[in-house]
Amino acid sequence: MPQYDFSTLSSTDFEHLMRDVWNAAEGLQLQCFPEGRDGGIDAREVRADGWTVVGQCKHYYRSGKSALLKAAAEEKEKHGYQTANEYLFATTYPATAALIDDIAATLDVPSKNIWGPTRINQALQDHPEIERNNFKLWYPSTTVMQHIIHAGIHNRTRALLERIPDETRYWVETPAFPVAREILEREGVCIVTGPPGAGKSCLANRLVLDAIADGWGIICMSDGPRDAWDLCHPSAKQLFYFDDFLGETSLMPWAVDQAPDLRNFMAHVRRNPADKRLVMTSRQQIVRQAANAASDALNELDRDPFLCTVALEDLDLTTKINILTSHLTLSRLSDAERDRARTDRRIPRLAAHHSYNPRLINEVSERLTEASTADQVLDDLVATFANPIMVWQTSYRSLDPETQRILLTLTTLLPRPIELRRLRELAKFTGNAAEWHAALKTVEPSWIRIVHSSAEKAAAFANPSCRDYLLGLLDDDDYAEDSIAQVAHLEQIVNLAQEAGVITAARLAPTPPIERPHLARAILRNSVELVPRIRSWTAEVVSSDATNVEILSTVRDAARVLSALAAPATIDWLLDNIRELLATAGELPVHESLALATQLSGMSSFSSAHAAVVSNLIEAGLHSATTTRDLRAYEALSEEIRTVAIELIARQKAAEIFGDEWDLLLTQSGDPDERMSEGLDLQAQAQWYGIELNLADLFDELPSQD
């Protein structure tokens, strides 16, 4: 069993741990009390006859012997010590036998009443259920890589599992956690949603930790449900985790495109809750955007039974205080100053502040040093809550122009890790390698985090609020003009246009609301200059060694932006590129082909030339269809672009696919109820194509039921 130093625990965590240890080892019934001026009582039991047992904890693992003895002596003046019939004292300082005797003499109690790390670790060995219930002890030292089953996901999942200890060390149980756990156990799927900084990822990470403890394999998804289908193992206990599954700051196009796949995978997980689970997170406003998107698969997201909302207003004052003091405990603040801060009268007022936000608290606590004082940190928190923007504004203005440009370039890209090599190229960084690494060090980890993989290092924002602040900067005429002038890739202008509200992620959606008017005006003002650059960027991809998936996605992105910027005649070259691809490629990827067809059909300049290309795209995609999931993408197309000829091809392809899947269902083994449920799903989908599947054949193949 590992020997813990308890450094991963906050003061409150340590108090709760010692309550459990004392109750188990000494046969007591101690209770803990909320943070604040506790009068020297961290845990207490008052028996029917008035006999009082008091426990006091000193989480002084960073202090010296003299500081600990001084703190122990001060306890003698407090109410808890003076009213106790039996007094217990615990510390995380590595206490020798001599030091334990000194503490006992100082407190005038038997040495057996003094608990140091060695004795606490022995009690954990004697009572393993305590260790299991205090996950902050065991997670950082647990081997979890054995649960990862696919090399393509290995690095993403490893990065998640390495990150979780940092993100959950401030964990305080909130009302949302038991709700989320119950939803996950009941439904197999849990979507954790809420406003920025409310603790969505922390709660989701806690669900992942519980799964790890119970032997579940963890799969971290980044490319949506297609990852999940590729990695789904029929006999393994697997929890799939998808952070910001709709996009980090706004609804992303791929979230809409892959919605049918996601719906099907969610249905699969809900049919198999014994060995499949799915945890996803998303900001509340993005879930609402998705519910209004032109996608039936997303319309019900904000009303489904697996939605768990994390809301700061649901946190009571005690929970908010515990979150705040946990950050102070685990900061670099000295033990003595930490204790002063935890018992300061300003703590309850800060917890009740209208701008209270765990993310802001974390930003303040990350700036603390061993020389910081309780007064300084509390003054900083008061100022930050009064004006949250100062957290990022002060930091940003202190950076040199080239480092600022790195961050602004990262803002113009999709909110996901980007290779450092590519970021340097797009940011047009002029310094040498040493200067480049020095610039990254300046903004890590406060602004960005470096993701390590076996292939190449990548950078991502440390949290979404960094990007939010920078997007706000770009919504300024001067910043916007400079940013557009610096754009060097199609992905950047697509992302900026979407963030501004010039284009939308949803297919066939109405004109989007302008989210950032200054940025939107700058993009539209520069449309004449942007159109040839978009053409050039598209040509680079089309003429390169890119895959058909990459080419179709690039052409679709170009069409999305051009539909908002250009006159109809200026996109003829785009149609020529598609025709050439159709002529040389034959079959094309289903989902990307149909997504591009939908985009072209929704353009205001839709003409007979467009119609022919759209029909050819749909036909090429249908020829590549091999599963009923592929057919779902076809079914999502609007009736206006499904011609008679295309409908005939679709029915022929559907007859082939349903025949294969029906034969497989009749011959495979498995749970009878699940097989019947899959049969009903297949029958309902087949009827859409006028194909009848006989459930009686399936019923005859199922084991007889009593």
Side-chain angles (χ1 to χ4, degrees):
M1 174 181 172
Q3 293 294 301
Y4 298 115
D5 64 4
F6 308 102
S7 60
T8 58
L9 304 183
S10 70
S11 294
T12 301
D13 296 329
F14 181 55
E15 291 166 9
H16 290 173
L17 173 67
M18 287 312 304
R19 173 201 60 198
D20 296 344
V21 166
W22 281 326
N23 286 346
E26 303 290 344
L28 300 174
Q29 296 182 5
L30 296 166
Q31 293 182 318
C32 286
F33 300 93
E35 287 279 0
R37 294 178 177 270
D38 56 24
I41 303 173
D42 290 331
R44 184 179 66 182
E45 176 187 353
V46 180
R47 298 172 185 165
D49 60 2
W51 183 270
T52 301
V53 182
V54 170
Q56 186 64 22
C57 304
K58 288 297 176 186
H59 195 15
Y60 271 37
Y61 67 96
R62 290 175 299 194
S63 297
K65 175 181 175 180
S66 59
L68 179 61
L69 288 171
K70 180 182 178 182
E74 291 173 351
E75 293 301 318
K76 295 182 68 174
E77 306 301 319
K78 296 182 180 179
H79 177 73
Y81 178 89
Q82 295 172 356
T83 59
N85 299 105
E86 183 177 1
Y87 189 80
L88 303 172
F89 185 91
T91 181
T92 51
Y93 184 82
T96 62
L99 179 56
I100 287 175
D101 289 342
D102 288 344
I103 297 172
T106 299
L107 293 169
D108 194 23
V109 298
S111 294
K112 70 179 182 65
N113 286 24
I114 311 301
W115 289 66
T118 301
R119 191 176 176 192
I120 299 169
N121 275 302
Q122 182 60 52
L124 292 174
Q125 187 170 347
D126 295 339
H127 304 279
E129 72 280 359
I130 299 175
E131 181 186 31
R132 171 66 178 80
N133 292 333
N134 289 268
F135 76 92
K136 291 185 186 179
L137 283 175
W138 55 260
Y139 177 69
S141 62
T142 297
T143 302
V144 295
M145 290 302 108
Q146 61 189 357
H147 299 306
I148 302 170
I149 62 171
H150 189 276
I153 297 298
H154 178 88
N155 290 314
R156 286 195 294 270
T157 305
R158 180 173 60 189
L160 166 71
L161 298 176
E162 289 174 348
R163 195 171 70 243
I164 283 179
D166 285 338
E167 294 184 355
T168 56
R169 62 185 179 140
Y170 305 117
W171 170 262
V172 172
E173 186 157 325
T174 66
F177 177 62
V179 173
R181 184 168 52 189
E182 191 275 332
I183 289 172
L184 188 60
E185 291 175 354
R186 184 188 72 234
E187 303 290 340
V189 176
C190 182
I191 299 176
V192 183
T193 182
K200 301 181 295 296
S201 294
C202 193
L203 190 154
N205 290 342
R206 183 70 173 88
L207 295 174
V208 169
L209 286 178
D210 275 0
I212 291 171
D214 291 334
W216 289 70
I218 309 301
I219 303 296
C220 181
M221 300 158 59
S222 68
D223 294 327
R226 294 172 199 175
D227 273 351
W229 286 114
D230 290 342
L231 301 171
C232 191
H233 193 284
S235 61
K237 290 174 63 176
Q238 295 173 299
L239 183 144
F240 296 85
Y241 179 65
F242 197 176
D243 198 21
D244 292 316
F245 77 103
L246 295 172
E248 194 169 343
T249 57
S250 62
L251 184 64
M252 291 286 102
W254 41 260
V256 180
D257 293 341
Q258 297 189 36
D261 265 351
L262 178 62
R263 178 176 59 184
N264 291 339
F265 185 71
M266 290 169 67
H268 174 73
V269 170
R270 296 179 78 186
R271 288 196 300 266
N272 298 274
D275 57 19
K276 295 292 176 287
R277 288 185 178 173
L278 173 62
V279 175
M280 300 186 289
T281 71
S282 179
R283 291 192 184 187
Q284 209 163 14
Q285 69 269 26
I286 302 178
V287 171
R288 290 172 183 154
Q289 289 176 24
N292 294 323
S295 169
D296 291 340
L298 295 178
N299 289 159
E300 300 298 320
L301 277 181
D302 63 344
R303 294 189 294 276
D304 271 320
F306 37 77
L307 198 70
C308 175
T309 301
V310 180
L312 290 175
E313 56 267 27
D314 292 341
L315 304 182
D316 59 27
L317 188 62
T318 297
T319 302
K320 288 184 174 182
I321 290 174
N322 286 340
I323 293 172
L324 177 52
T325 55
S326 289
H327 280 79
L328 297 179
T329 300
L330 296 168
S331 71
R332 290 186 291 274
L333 203 62
S334 71
D335 292 329
E337 292 300 319
R338 175 206 64 206
D339 281 354
R340 292 189 185 96
R342 290 174 63 212
T343 57
D344 193 282
R345 297 184 187 277
R346 283 170 286 183
I347 290 290
R349 292 202 297 272
L350 284 166
H353 197 283
H354 67 275
S355 291
Y356 178 94
N357 188 296
R359 183 167 293 159
L360 294 177
I361 296 169
N362 183 66
E363 294 303 327
V364 172
S365 66
E366 288 288 329
R367 296 199 296 266
L368 299 179
T369 68
E370 293 179 2
S372 300
T373 67
D375 282 337
Q376 287 172 343
V377 64
L378 293 172
D379 287 345
D380 197 356
L381 283 167
V382 169
T384 299
F385 282 9
N387 184 17
I389 197 173
M390 68 183 298
V391 172
W392 298 120
Q393 182 174 273
T394 303
S395 173
Y396 181 78
R397 289 179 175 176
S398 68
L399 301 173
D400 63 76
E402 285 226 296
T403 307
Q404 289 181 350
R405 190 165 66 250
I406 293 171
L407 294 179
L408 289 174
T409 300
L410 193 57
T411 308
T412 66
L413 298 164
L414 290 172
R416 59 191 182 199
I418 175 177
E419 295 85 356
L420 294 183
R421 172 189 51 77
R422 184 160 176 256
L423 177 60
R424 182 176 180 178
E425 177 185 337
L426 293 176
K428 302 175 183 176
F429 190 83
T430 57
N432 58 32
E435 291 167 334
W436 167 251
H437 290 297
L440 294 179
K441 274 290 185 185
T442 303
V443 290
E444 184 194 9
S446 56
W447 285 90
I448 67 170
R449 56 183 173 86
I450 303 299
V451 180
H452 297 266
S453 72
S454 59
E456 191 170 354
K457 291 181 180 179
F461 280 115
N463 62 61
S465 66
C466 307
R467 190 167 184 269
D468 286 345
Y469 168 76
L470 292 169
L471 283 170
L473 276 187
L474 292 180
D475 191 29
D476 172 273
D477 284 335
D478 292 334
Y479 271 106
E481 290 284 349
D482 288 345
S483 180
I484 293 168
Q486 292 289 327
V487 164
H489 194 274
L490 176 61
E491 177 188 344
Q492 293 177 276
I493 196 62
V494 171
N495 186 56
L496 288 175
Q498 186 165 295
E499 294 292 352
V502 173
I503 61 175
T504 183
R507 293 184 298 238
L508 302 181
T511 302
I514 297 300
E515 298 289 342
R516 295 179 174 86
H518 298 289
L519 179 57
R521 283 197 296 271
I523 291 172
L524 296 174
R525 275 199 306 269
N526 287 274
S527 61
V528 173
E529 189 269 338
L530 281 172
V531 169
R533 291 167 67 188
I534 292 170
R535 180 172 182 172
S536 175
W537 293 327
T538 306
E540 287 178 10
V541 175
V542 171
S543 61
S544 69
D545 294 330
T547 65
N548 287 340
V549 169
E550 293 169 333
I551 292 174
L552 288 170
S553 298
T554 298
V555 172
R556 186 197 173 201
D557 281 343
R560 292 175 64 214
V561 181
L562 291 173
S563 66
L565 299 184
T570 62
I571 66 166
D572 290 344
W573 60 270
L574 199 62
L575 299 179
D576 290 339
N577 281 325
I578 300 172
R579 292 188 189 99
E580 183 176 349
L581 181 63
L582 286 164
T584 57
E587 295 184 357
L588 292 175
V590 182
H591 299 273
E592 287 74 15
S593 297
L594 300 187
L596 177 55
T598 299
Q599 179 65 47
L600 293 174
S601 68
M603 296 177 72
S604 59
S605 57
F606 190 73
S607 64
S608 57
H610 283 71
V613 171
V614 166
S615 295
N616 290 335
L617 277 170
I618 298 172
E619 183 176 343
L622 280 173
H623 283 307
S624 301
T626 58
T627 68
T628 53
R629 290 189 291 113
D630 293 338
L631 293 177
R632 290 284 188 193
Y634 170 74
E635 293 158 23
L637 296 176
S638 64
E639 292 184 8
E640 290 78 9
I641 60 175
R642 293 200 301 263
T643 65
V644 174
I646 287 174
E647 287 280 294
L648 179 60
I649 295 171
R651 284 196 296 271
Q652 292 171 343
K653 179 60 71 169
E656 175 186 328
I657 291 172
F658 284 114
D660 290 343
E661 295 203 10
W662 189 251
D663 289 342
L664 180 62
L665 185 61
L666 291 178
T667 57
Q668 72 182 12
S669 60
D671 179 78
D673 290 338
E674 181 177 343
R675 290 176 65 193
M676 181 57 71
S677 176
E678 291 179 10
L680 288 169
D681 290 344
L682 278 177
Q683 183 190 52
Q685 188 179 359
Q687 287 174 347
W688 197 87
Y689 297 89
I691 299 171
E692 294 296 331
L693 300 178
N694 190 356
L695 279 179
D697 293 341
L698 176 60
F699 189 80
D700 291 341
E701 295 295 328
L702 296 178
S704 60
Q705 304 290 320
D706 294 333

